[in-house]
Amino acid sequence: MRREHTPTTAPGPAQSVPGLTQTVPRPAETDTAGVTAVAHPNIALVKYWGKRDEALILPWTDSLSMTLDVFPTTTRIRLEAAAGRDEVTLDGTPATGEAARRVTAFLQLVRERAGSTRRAVVDSRNTVPTGAGLASSASGFAALAVAAAAAYGLELDATGLSRLARRGSGSASRSVFGGFAVWHAGPPSATGAAADAGSYAEPVPAAGLDPALVVAVLDAGPKAVSSREAMRRTVDTSPLYRPWAASSRADLADMRAALGRGDLEAVGEIAERNALGMHATMLAARPAVRYLSPATVTVLDRVLQLRREGIAAYATMDAGPNVKVLCRRADARRVAAAVAETVPAARVLVAGPGPRARLLEETDETDGAAR
């Protein structure tokens, strides 16, 4: 059986919750038995799009998301004192190229903070399609941050874990938390350590909401244009980017107020307009970045028709063709059936608010569920 260690809510950058902070004794420079962490993807309802600092992964705008209860990533790390390099396996296959580089760079950051030279053996298993706009990097780097911090003996509260996860993937800062979370961009004039300290995620309360997110996977293949390249091109060339960024700040304030009063219709309206605005900035980039496919537009039209039929359903899309539909949990089956009927080839599933990232302690070696 496994026991869960949960790095949980930290109200701010200098606070932690007694008894719930991830605190792991600093191990000696020897091999370790390994630690395992699990994290879930999140879907932004107010989007992050564009970085002002690519090295520190600092965004131009704040963002707000809902962590999902589907598609978890499980990551196991074992340290080896004599190893000459990190070994990274993703979904049973040795990682190569950019994927391996990103994980190794992240591990080196953790080693520098821990004062360690030990290399790591990493085994990460995704259940979310990678590279398809379904936040695989969010769950992946949130799980890696929790596992690596534990393996190397870093003593971090949830805010510190959020900052750390951000260095692997910006959206991973939000997957450290369950439910709704806001990622603070931080002071735009700050640099260096001050900028790093100012950008982290924290939970956002939602009064009385019982939401569901119907996920329509229209194309699970890798994107022709990566999110990273699309962001750069949009920020550098789109005449719509700065107006959208300004409106996104207003959307965030409206979204927090709507969550606070439990107004799902307002939450949905804000999420839909923010996502459509983000895709408009990409279409205006030069050359244009177009993730929306004919099937995407078909689903968007069906969501609009559902609202005309009296169902509170609202669409959002990330960097990809796949559509997520926010609705009440009581309406989720009807919404899912409508989407599936509209695009029979789509994979449609229903998600709810998911849990925070957490460290698993395996006390029974025969239990392989976390691996």
Side-chain angles (χ1 to χ4, degrees):
M1 61 184 293
R2 301 188 309 276
R3 290 180 293 170
E4 297 182 355
H5 287 249
T6 305
T8 189
T9 306
Q15 299 182 12
S16 62
V17 179
L20 295 175
T21 297
Q22 176 174 303
T23 303
V24 182
R26 190 177 304 278
E29 294 290 304
T30 58
D31 294 352
T32 66
V35 294
T36 303
V38 63
H40 288 71
N42 68 77
I43 296 300
L45 304 180
V46 175
K47 303 297 185 183
Y48 139 61
W49 193 246
K51 304 182 185 77
R52 73 176 193 272
D53 185 319
E54 293 206 12
L56 292 176
I57 309 187
L58 300 175
W60 282 109
T61 63
D62 297 349
S63 58
L64 188 147
S65 66
M66 186 175 88
T67 298
L68 307 183
D69 60 1
V70 297
F71 293 146
T73 296
T74 303
T75 298
R76 182 174 180 79
I77 295 181
R78 185 179 77 254
L79 303 188
E80 293 190 356
R85 61 181 179 84
D86 296 315
E87 296 180 14
V88 181
T89 301
L90 301 179
D91 298 326
T93 302
T96 59
E98 180 64 10
R101 186 203 66 78
R102 289 179 69 187
V103 173
T104 299
F106 185 85
L107 293 171
Q108 184 58 28
L109 173 68
V110 175
R111 278 191 287 268
E112 290 170 358
R113 295 186 177 184
S116 175
T117 60
R118 283 172 300 170
R119 299 294 177 169
V121 177
V122 179
D123 182 8
S124 186
R125 306 291 175 128
N126 270 327
T127 55
V128 55
T130 301
L134 288 167
S136 60
S137 63
S139 57
F141 276 98
L144 183 62
V146 172
Y152 282 99
L154 293 181
E155 298 183 2
L156 298 175
D157 63 9
T159 304
L161 284 169
S162 178
R163 288 194 190 97
L164 179 62
R166 189 201 76 231
R167 297 293 298 273
S169 171
S171 56
S173 66
R174 300 184 306 243
S175 277
V176 168
F177 301 98
F180 296 94
V182 60
W183 173 20
H184 301 289
S189 60
T191 60
D196 183 41
S199 186
Y200 58 92
E202 64 180 345
V204 174
L209 282 182
D210 189 19
L213 204 69
V214 176
V215 180
V217 183
L218 306 175
D219 185 350
K223 297 171 289 193
V225 181
S226 70
S227 297
R228 184 169 298 186
E229 169 57 26
M231 285 185 192
R232 290 172 182 160
R233 191 185 305 177
T234 303
V235 173
D236 291 344
T237 71
S238 175
L240 300 185
Y241 181 74
R242 292 188 184 279
W244 173 79
S247 69
S248 191
R249 296 182 185 100
D251 286 344
L252 182 74
D254 292 345
M255 179 67 78
R256 296 192 71 157
L259 288 171
R261 64 177 182 270
D263 187 342
L264 185 130
E265 287 84 355
V267 169
E269 288 173 3
I270 297 162
E272 188 169 282
R273 78 192 186 204
N274 187 267
L276 290 172
M278 183 187 77
H279 280 270
T281 69
M282 288 185 263
L283 289 171
R286 299 170 187 182
V289 178
R290 185 176 71 87
Y291 288 127
L292 307 185
S293 68
T296 305
V297 176
T298 299
V299 174
L300 293 178
D301 288 343
R302 187 66 182 97
V303 170
L304 182 59
Q305 182 61 36
L306 282 169
R307 290 208 293 272
R308 291 171 178 158
E309 295 168 3
I311 301 296
Y314 302 88
T316 185
M317 299 86 62
D318 292 306
N322 305 302
V323 182
K324 300 87 180 177
V325 186
L326 183 72
C327 62
R328 291 186 174 86
R329 193 182 296 269
D331 295 327
R333 287 190 177 181
R334 179 173 174 182
V335 171
V339 171
E341 181 181 354
T342 301
V343 184
R347 178 189 178 192
V348 180
L349 58 116
V350 178
R356 61 180 66 86
R358 58 200 185 275
L359 185 67
L360 304 180
E361 180 182 349
E362 298 189 29
T363 57
D364 183 349
E365 292 298 327
T366 65
D367 180 2
R371 300 177 185 177

